[in-house]
Amino acid sequence: MANGLLDGLVVLDLTRVLAGPFAGMLLADMGATVYKVEMPNVGDDSRAMGPFVNKQSVYFANFNRGKIGITLNLKAPEGKEIFKELVKKADVLIENYRPGTMEKLGLGYDVLKEVNPKLVYGAVSGFGHTGPYSKRPGYDIVGQAMGGLMSTSGWPGGAPTRTGTPMGDVLGGLNLAVGVLAAVVKAKSSGMGEKVDISLVDSVVSSMQNINMIYLTTGRIPERIGNRYESTYPYDSFKTKTTDVIIGAGNDKLYGLLCDLMERPDLKVDPRFVHVVDRVANHAAMKEEIEKWTINYTMDEVATMLDQHGIPGCPINTIDRLVADPHICGDRNMFPYCEHPEMGHLRMTNSALRFTNHPTDPTVPAPLLGQHNKDIYEGILGMTEEKIAELQAKGII
Amino acid sequence: MANGLLDGLVVLDLTRVLAGPFAGMLLADMGATVYKVEMPNVGDDSRAMGPFVNKQSVYFANFNRGKIGITLNLKAPEGKEIFKELVKKADVLIENYRPGTMEKLGLGYDVLKEVNPKLVYGAVSGFGHTGPYSKRPGYDIVGQAMGGLMSTSGWPGGAPTRTGTPMGDVLGGLNLAVGVLAAVVKAKSSGMGEKVDISLVDSVVSSMQNINMIYLTTGRIPERIGNRYESTYPYDSFKTKTTDVIIGAGNDKLYGLLCDLMERPDLKVDPRFVHVVDRVANHAAMKEEIEKWTINYTMDEVATMLDQHGIPGCPINTIDRLVADPHICGDRNMFPYCEHPEMGHLRMTNSALRFTNHPTDPTVPAPLLGQHNKDIYEGILGMTEEKIAELQAKGII
């Protein structure tokens, strides 16, 4: 990865499945040297998760592109010693085991900081490394439910609703990347490492910022209100001949433009809709009036008219539409390709990180299990071929 | 902020409302010196957004705690010159104007990097600074709709659904923090700054990682499937006497424990439910069987039984429950207090960033408009009191 922003940063990535690997992926996309350390013969659980191409997991391939694959048995005493040698050469370690697992292996932060005082140790877990629930298993859906997101997503009278993507894991991975990079900034100047402790539940609670503030300030418990917002209207989804469309005419000027476009000057002076507060209070009636217009067109027809008249709005994209979009897929290159040795021409989902002078588009495929063992154990740790063969035979690598 | 991880990092924060201020908040919580630069007499739009305490916006107070408040009119020639003096003393600048706005002000990255080559310039916008849609206005709901999140969130047969929090803005803010910190790591070693260009739409598309991969690999368009997951079952919400409860018995072992707890050994050998693939294929029948049991209890009763039997699961928390939770509010301190000069004892929502040796809990309140003008214009830029009074009279600060 030439000219990467994080060139020279060495990361040991012990993570599995999503939240942790997502953070490692962001660092690899930015040019860090990320060693994906997996259990010999087994590997990351997500190697068994679909979809598959030529029996290889696309799930794994996507979150682990650009990483260097080595195997190492951290339960074997010899494996632990080899791991400490790797820690000496690393800037960052990330893991998403259940809290206490690394300590049980004798490889907790307290041990590893003695091995390398500059090490930034990043952990992401369901509930974090402290507190009464810390030992509970944490999954994405638990983060979304415990963190308040599900209770506030969905429709009045309907069920609490999770997001279509594992958002708890994504938020946890992003927070881990923020924490690790902040600690790297410090370590580079102070020579002292740090332990970063990210929880999926905290990450979701933190995403609820102003929603929490409504309760903390007014005592009102925020409920499910569908697609509208509490502070302005019309700012919602509206029925069309096809899929619903988004209109975000959040102030008086934009509302005026919308009334003009709908050829409904009467709505500008209708006492129910004159000011933002009126439109919020009478949102149901407002929606009915707007849908009298939107229902005559398709989603794309409405979105095009809004765009032509300078009114914020957009289609609700399904995934096939993202992939066909000239801006998202074209200019912003959200679905780049790499050539995978077993999967061939593989399309991935990009990160959102873009820099003027440093490329981040992934081009190197995810490793096969232990693919780079020889490179690392010989090239970096200086082992002989015989030693490597012996470790392999003993199941240590 | 003593002992902050980012002590000494100077950030100029020109952002308004949510995505940008959220990123600045994360940096301030970690100890960076963040100058919140606002338009004289007007300030951040979110100062007018509720809820309010003593006429002060809680919305603003939450996202801008720990920042230093100065006013500066960037449209006035003298304001631009003062701004460039501040840029010389800064490590980072963040803004969330519509793309092109800073260039129109004569303060685009190309100009500012000449003023300070080390500057890390971070921008977050609806569609990013490049591509055919870059000039379109971007709002959270547009990010959620354009990025594919809404089309995949919700219930079969129901409407596309946004999240209860402005998740597009939160994801954009987190990505901005990741990009800025990575560029700071580089700038510290190379002496060269960088421009970071984050888009809300990209941020949402990137959060859809494996959901996108299903379409890219198989051609199937992911749809709304409620709270269940495609890869395992039972892993869903289930009806109780009160609110729905989450059960995540994702593998055969946990499923066996659940059958034992429900006193339904017959379900273990029922051919519809023997393997994970069977349970996924027959998820509707499986849900029905499980709800025969859960419906006899309250949400909390089921959650407690699951916890006692080592089966992953949890309540679906409303916001009041978050605030009363001994783990979330207690140990993890997700709702810390500060003393605000006009709002008094104010409770905020914490970030998810936790470090072993560096505190991140916010303690300093958000600034009043221009509160620190004298400190900065006299203390940092060395202006006389007369000069400051003159600039104030002219509406430049």
Side-chain angles (χ1 to χ4, degrees), chain B residues 282-330:
Chain B
N282 298 302
H283 63 85
M286 180 89 269
K287 188 166 192 168
E288 214 170 281
E289 295 293 346
I290 293 171
E291 289 187 335
K292 284 181 193 168
W293 174 71
T294 53
I295 200 69
N296 299 303
Y297 304 96
T298 66
M299 173 179 76
D300 285 317
E301 286 167 350
V302 176
T304 301
M305 287 189 282
L306 293 169
D307 199 33
Q308 286 166 347
H309 289 77
I311 302 161
C314 70
I316 297 177
N317 279 338
T318 42
I319 306 301
D320 55 319
R321 290 173 56 107
L322 296 183
V323 174
D325 190 281
H327 180 89
I328 294 169
C329 182

Side-chain angles (χ1 to χ4, degrees), chain A residues 17 98 125-127 136-146 166 168-169 200-201 204, chain B residues 229 232 235 246-251 254 310-314:
Chain A
V17 190
R98 203 177 308 184
S125 59
F127 291 88
R136 291 191 193 172
Y139 293 98
D140 169 72
I141 199 172
V142 169
Q144 292 202 34
M146 287 289 286
D169 279 336
L200 300 188
V201 175
V204 172
Chain B
Y229 279 57
T232 190
Y235 196 90
I246 298 298
I247 302 177
N251 62 37
L254 294 169
I311 302 161
C314 70

Side-chain angles (χ1 to χ4, degrees), chain A residues 4-5 22 25 30 50 53 58-59 62-63 127-134 136 139-142 145-155 159-165 167 170-171 174-175 178-179 181-183 185-186 194-198 201-203 205-213 215-217 221-222 226-229 235 246 307 312 314-320 322-323 325-328 331-332 334-335 347-358, chain B residues 4-5 22 25 30 50 53 58-59 62-63 127-134 136 139-141 145-155 159-165 167 170-171 174-175 178-179 181-183 185-186 194-198 201-203 205-213 215-217 221-222 226-229 235 246 307 312 314-320 322-323 325-328 331-332 334-335 347-358:
Chain A
L5 198 67
F22 185 73
M25 179 197 89
M30 291 189 287
V53 170
V58 172
Y59 192 118
N62 186 49
F63 288 117
F127 291 88
H129 280 219
T130 63
Y133 307 163
S134 65
R136 291 191 193 172
Y139 293 98
D140 169 72
I141 199 172
V142 169
M146 287 289 286
L149 182 57
M150 284 183 66
S151 77
T152 53
S153 298
W155 296 82
T161 305
R162 75 169 188 90
T163 59
T165 193
M167 194 60 82
V170 170
L171 292 168
L174 282 165
N175 275 297
V178 172
L181 287 168
V185 170
K186 181 73 171 186
E194 177 56 291
K195 179 177 172 180
V196 187
D197 168 22
I198 302 296
V201 175
D202 291 355
S203 297
V205 174
S206 174
S207 80
M208 307 299 296
Q209 293 280 339
N210 199 51
I211 304 302
N212 298 330
M213 300 312 286
Y215 174 72
L216 290 170
T217 306
I221 301 168
N227 292 341
R228 72 183 179 91
Y229 279 57
Y235 197 90
I246 298 296
D307 199 34
C314 70
I316 297 178
N317 279 337
T318 42
I319 305 301
D320 55 317
L322 296 184
V323 175
D325 189 280
H327 180 88
I328 294 170
D331 183 85
R332 303 296 291 185
M334 287 305 297
F335 305 104
R347 215 156 177 189
M348 294 170 296
T349 298
N350 214 334
S351 82
L353 302 163
R354 297 289 180 281
F355 303 92
T356 298
N357 300 308
H358 295 91
Chain B
L5 197 68
F22 186 73
M25 180 199 88
M30 291 189 288
V53 171
V58 172
Y59 191 117
N62 186 50
F63 288 118
F127 292 88
H129 281 218
T130 63
Y133 307 163
S134 65
R136 291 191 192 172
Y139 294 96
D140 168 72
I141 199 172
M146 286 290 286
L149 182 57
M150 284 184 68
S151 77
T152 54
S153 298
W155 297 83
T161 305
R162 75 169 186 89
T163 58
T165 192
M167 195 59 84
V170 170
L171 291 168
L174 282 165
N175 274 298
V178 172
L181 287 167
V185 170
K186 181 73 172 188
E194 177 56 292
K195 178 176 172 181
V196 187
D197 167 21
I198 303 295
V201 175
D202 291 356
S203 297
V205 174
S206 175
S207 81
M208 306 300 296
Q209 293 280 339
N210 199 51
I211 304 301
N212 297 331
M213 300 312 285
Y215 173 73
L216 289 170
T217 306
I221 301 168
N227 293 340
R228 72 183 180 89
Y229 279 57
Y235 196 90
I246 298 298
D307 199 33
C314 70
I316 297 177
N317 279 338
T318 42
I319 306 301
D320 55 319
L322 296 183
V323 174
D325 190 281
H327 180 89
I328 294 169
D331 184 86
R332 304 295 291 184
M334 286 305 297
F335 304 104
R347 215 156 175 188
M348 293 170 296
T349 298
N350 213 335
S351 83
L353 301 163
R354 297 290 180 280
F355 303 92
T356 298
N357 301 309
H358 295 90

Side-chain angles (χ1 to χ4, degrees), chain B residues 154-275:
Chain B
W155 297 83
T161 305
R162 75 169 186 89
T163 58
T165 192
M167 195 59 84
D169 279 337
V170 170
L171 291 168
L174 282 165
N175 274 298
L176 182 61
V178 172
V180 160
L181 287 167
V184 167
V185 170
K186 181 73 172 188
K188 292 277 181 199
S189 66
S190 71
M192 293 302 296
E194 177 56 292
K195 178 176 172 181
V196 187
D197 167 21
I198 303 295
S199 131
L200 300 188
V201 175
D202 291 356
S203 297
V204 172
V205 174
S206 175
S207 81
M208 306 300 296
Q209 293 280 339
N210 199 51
I211 304 301
N212 297 331
M213 300 312 285
I214 290 170
Y215 173 73
L216 289 170
T217 306
T218 71
R220 178 168 67 81
I221 301 168
E223 292 178 346
R224 295 182 285 286
I225 57 170
N227 293 340
R228 72 183 180 89
Y229 279 57
E230 308 220 16
S231 51
T232 190
Y233 209 83
Y235 196 90
D236 201 348
S237 60
F238 298 88
K239 285 198 183 9
T240 73
K241 269 186 182 172
T242 55
T243 308
D244 298 358
V245 72
I246 298 298
I247 302 177
N251 62 37
D252 291 342
K253 187 188 156 203
L254 294 169
Y255 175 65
L257 290 175
L258 178 65
C259 294
D260 292 343
L261 173 59
M262 297 192 297
E263 296 180 346
R264 289 291 305 276
D266 59 301
L267 292 178
K268 289 192 212 178
V269 292
D270 188 317
R272 294 174 301 168
F273 309 131
V274 174
H275 301 294

Side-chain angles (χ1 to χ4, degrees), chain A residues 204-385:
Chain A
V204 172
V205 174
S206 174
S207 80
M208 307 299 296
Q209 293 280 339
N210 199 51
I211 304 302
N212 298 330
M213 300 312 286
I214 290 170
Y215 174 72
L216 290 170
T217 306
T218 70
R220 177 168 67 82
I221 301 168
E223 293 179 342
R224 294 181 284 287
I225 58 168
N227 292 341
R228 72 183 179 91
Y229 279 57
E230 308 219 17
S231 52
T232 190
Y233 208 84
Y235 197 90
D236 200 349
S237 60
F238 298 89
K239 285 199 182 13
T240 73
K241 269 183 178 172
T242 54
T243 308
D244 297 357
V245 72
I246 298 296
I247 302 176
N251 61 35
D252 291 341
K253 187 188 155 199
L254 294 169
Y255 175 65
L257 290 175
L258 178 64
C259 293
D260 292 342
L261 174 59
M262 297 192 298
E263 297 181 344
R264 289 292 306 275
D266 59 301
L267 293 177
K268 289 192 213 177
V269 292
D270 188 318
R272 295 174 300 167
F273 309 132
V274 174
H275 301 294
V276 168
V277 284
D278 306 323
R279 297 194 290 274
V280 170
N282 299 301
H283 62 84
M286 181 88 268
K287 187 166 192 169
E288 212 171 281
E289 294 294 346
I290 293 171
E291 288 186 336
K292 283 181 194 167
W293 174 71
T294 54
I295 200 68
N296 300 304
Y297 304 96
T298 66
M299 173 178 77
D300 285 318
E301 286 167 349
V302 177
T304 301
M305 286 188 282
L306 294 169
D307 199 34
Q308 286 166 346
H309 289 77
I311 302 161
C314 70
I316 297 178
N317 279 337
T318 42
I319 305 301
D320 55 317
R321 289 173 57 104
L322 296 184
V323 175
D325 189 280
H327 180 88
I328 294 170
C329 183
D331 183 85
R332 303 296 291 185
N333 196 27
M334 287 305 297
F335 305 104
Y337 290 95
C338 75
E339 295 300 324
H340 187 280
E342 304 210 353
M343 305 165 91
H345 202 56
L346 181 72
R347 215 156 177 189
M348 294 170 296
T349 298
N350 214 334
S351 82
L353 302 163
R354 297 289 180 281
F355 303 92
T356 298
N357 300 308
H358 295 91
T360 50
D361 296 333
T363 53
V364 177
L368 303 174
L369 188 59
Q371 183 181 336
H372 303 100
N373 276 353
K374 188 168 180 295
D375 301 342
I376 304 312
Y377 291 126
E378 189 179 313
I380 305 289
L381 294 191
M383 292 180 190
T384 61
E385 277 190 46

